[in-house]
Amino acid sequence: MLGRLFASRRHAAGALVLLACPSSSPRPALDPPPRAAAEPATEAQQRPAAHAPADPPKPDVAPPPDAATPGPLDYAASLTGVLVVWSRHDGETSEIVAQQLDPRGSPLAPPRHVLRTEGEIVDLAVSTAKGHAWLAYVAEIEAPSGLLGAAVLAPDLSVTGARVLDRFTADALSAWGGDRVRVLALAPDDAVIAAIGAPVQCRDRVVGGTRACPGYHLYTMRGGDFKDNHVAEVGVDGGQSDMGALVDVGAGVLLDVWAWHGGPSHADLYLPRGATKAATPKFRRVRCRPPFRRGFDGEALVSWCAGDDAGLDERCRLSDDPAARCTQLHLVTLKDRVLTPRSAPQGAPLTALTLRCSAGRPVLDVAWDGGSRRLDPQAPGAALDLRPELGVWTGEYGVQIAEDGQITRYRCQPDERLEQGPVAPLDLAAPASA
């Protein structure tokens, strides 16, 4: 089961453990061209103009054509149970729709139209805070152009604000197989968005010097004003680039990015709470073979890493036995106190990893030689994403939703057993109401 520990945040239902070793099938290295300006007529404009907000997407609504192609889907826990958001593409434009589910994973109402945007949405993300939801998406317009958009939804799913935050040029947009956008709702009027965008200069780790590298950009959205809140950017050298989660560690938000160029290359961005500029955190960030996974358990930054030889060791590829020790865990507090053995700087090899129920809710118990820890996504201050393993917790069920709308439901029984059961799938082709 450890062989699936690095599942995507939108993995199909049913995976109950946490890490996958990196794929052995290479993808071509990506060297995106320089950024295009915000509009074709102003191509000579400099970087600040490229981030000037554009007009919001058109709010018209229409039933999707029969030929509409389902697009990316994401979901988050909400006050009613679960909020699901997905897109569909009709060949020229894309529609984003949302639907509220109850704590058991059943629809409370038909899908609701959120917005329509030009191009094809290639990634979207949703995050909730106190009944409100923040939505961010990346759409491919006419290759090689893309845009980043955002919207905020009220509890009744009406749009209270929407804006195109960025337009950029990237020949490799459609080829990047990783996540293109993340969003973290901190409050109804406060969110952080991370997304691909214009290339950013970074150091070439093989030949030296600098070059244009895949760029990742950070935005803060405060007060619902949708001003130009581009606060940070980072380039990561190589191809096959991707990014990890936006992790809320309480004192700030951390984003990891990585790529491959003669081996793995890493970069990260840390935005302290309330700041308008990125900074270097005081706590160490262990960097290991990507893809890796991070979270915060309320006290410590938790990093799950595949062992350095996990991509080559046959035990790691084929064994479901935790004793194969293909997975490492690293824990460090915000004051930089390491909680796992210092003799294992990349993290302690796991000897056990068990998903179980405790006090009527799911937890993840991990152990290593000489120590153990319980990871509880519901603990105060915790930011542990267990959607690949259990979905989101509604207070009654764990509800997990696959990209095709299939729903799996988990429940803790009185004897703390974890029981799984199917739920009727979502109708992703259903017409959306205004």
Side-chain angles (χ1 to χ4, degrees):
M1 291 192 294
L2 285 175
R4 295 189 295 273
L5 189 57
F6 283 135
S8 163
R9 66 187 166 103
R10 285 182 283 276
H11 196 280
L16 285 180
V17 272
L18 283 158
L19 278 185
C21 300
S23 170
S24 60
S25 56
R27 281 181 284 178
L30 307 175
D31 294 319
R35 179 192 190 91
E39 300 292 344
T42 58
E43 190 167 348
Q45 291 178 345
Q46 299 300 311
R47 160 112 181 114
H51 278 284
D55 293 334
K58 297 179 181 179
D60 57 291
V61 57
D66 292 339
T69 302
L73 176 150
D74 199 18
Y75 62 103
S78 70
L79 292 181
T80 65
V82 183
L83 173 63
V84 191
V85 178
W86 69 93
S87 71
R88 41 203 183 193
H89 179 56
D90 64 8
E92 296 183 358
T93 64
S94 290
E95 178 191 35
I96 296 178
V97 299
Q99 190 168 26
Q100 291 279 18
L101 310 183
D102 68 15
R104 295 171 174 263
S106 299
L108 287 169
R112 178 158 183 173
H113 172 86
V114 174
L115 58 83
R116 186 173 297 279
T117 184
E118 56 187 307
E120 179 178 4
I121 292 175
V122 294
D123 197 14
L124 61 76
V126 66
S127 181
T128 56
K130 297 182 179 179
H132 290 71
W134 281 88
L135 169 70
Y137 61 93
V138 168
E140 183 175 8
I141 313 304
E142 294 182 359
S145 297
L147 67 80
L148 167 66
V152 60
L153 309 182
D156 65 356
L157 301 186
S158 60
V159 178
T160 61
R163 180 70 73 181
V164 172
L165 300 178
D166 187 26
R167 292 178 181 270
F168 55 90
T169 295
D171 279 333
L173 176 63
S174 61
W176 291 354
D179 290 298
R180 283 94 157 185
V181 65
R182 301 286 202 191
V183 61
L184 175 63
L186 302 173
D189 61 351
D190 188 0
V192 179
I193 296 172
I196 62 169
V200 175
Q201 292 294 313
C202 74
R203 180 172 178 78
D204 189 313
R205 65 187 304 274
V206 174
V207 301
T210 60
R211 70 182 190 90
C213 297
Y216 292 86
H217 302 259
L218 205 63
Y219 301 80
T220 59
M221 312 300 296
R222 298 192 178 108
D225 55 13
F226 283 88
K227 290 182 179 178
D228 182 13
N229 290 329
H230 179 271
V231 295
E233 61 186 43
V234 67
V236 57
D237 177 36
Q240 204 171 341
S241 63
D242 203 351
M243 61 178 166
L246 271 173
V247 180
D248 182 2
V249 300
V253 176
L254 177 68
L255 173 74
D256 290 286
V257 297
W258 54 78
W260 295 87
H261 189 182
S265 56
H266 306 85
D268 58 32
L269 287 171
Y270 178 69
L271 185 68
R273 181 78 78 213
T276 57
K277 294 176 60 178
T280 301
K282 296 180 180 179
F283 54 88
R284 70 197 69 190
R285 289 89 63 212
V286 60
R287 290 173 172 175
C288 47
R289 184 185 182 91
F292 55 88
R293 189 170 173 184
R294 293 211 209 271
F296 186 66
D297 71 359
E299 179 192 13
L301 181 69
V302 183
S303 301
W304 290 277
C305 298
D308 288 340
D309 61 352
L312 304 176
D313 192 327
E314 187 173 352
R315 297 177 308 159
C316 298
R317 296 198 308 270
L318 302 179
S319 177
D320 284 337
D321 181 5
R325 300 185 173 221
C326 302
T327 303
Q328 297 165 297
L329 187 79
H330 185 273
L331 297 165
V332 60
T333 70
L334 301 189
K335 294 184 178 180
D336 201 39
R337 182 168 68 92
V338 179
L339 304 182
T340 42
R342 289 183 176 271
S343 58
Q346 293 298 105
L350 289 182
T351 57
L353 187 153
T354 308
L355 192 62
R356 66 172 76 248
C357 291
S358 175
R361 63 178 187 254
V363 297
L364 186 66
D365 285 346
V366 294
W368 57 90
D369 285 344
S372 64
R373 196 167 183 91
R374 171 159 289 177
L375 303 179
D376 182 356
Q378 311 308 316
L384 294 166
D385 184 1
L386 291 183
R387 282 178 296 177
E389 294 73 44
L390 193 66
V392 295
W393 182 244
T394 67
E396 184 177 357
Y397 287 92
V399 177
Q400 188 179 60
I401 306 175
E403 195 80 23
D404 62 359
Q406 295 293 321
I407 299 178
T408 303
R409 187 170 65 192
Y410 304 89
R411 188 177 189 181
C412 289
Q413 296 299 309
D415 59 359
E416 301 295 2
R417 287 182 301 109
L418 192 63
E419 181 181 76
Q420 175 182 335
V423 183
L426 294 176
D427 182 1
L428 301 184
S433 61

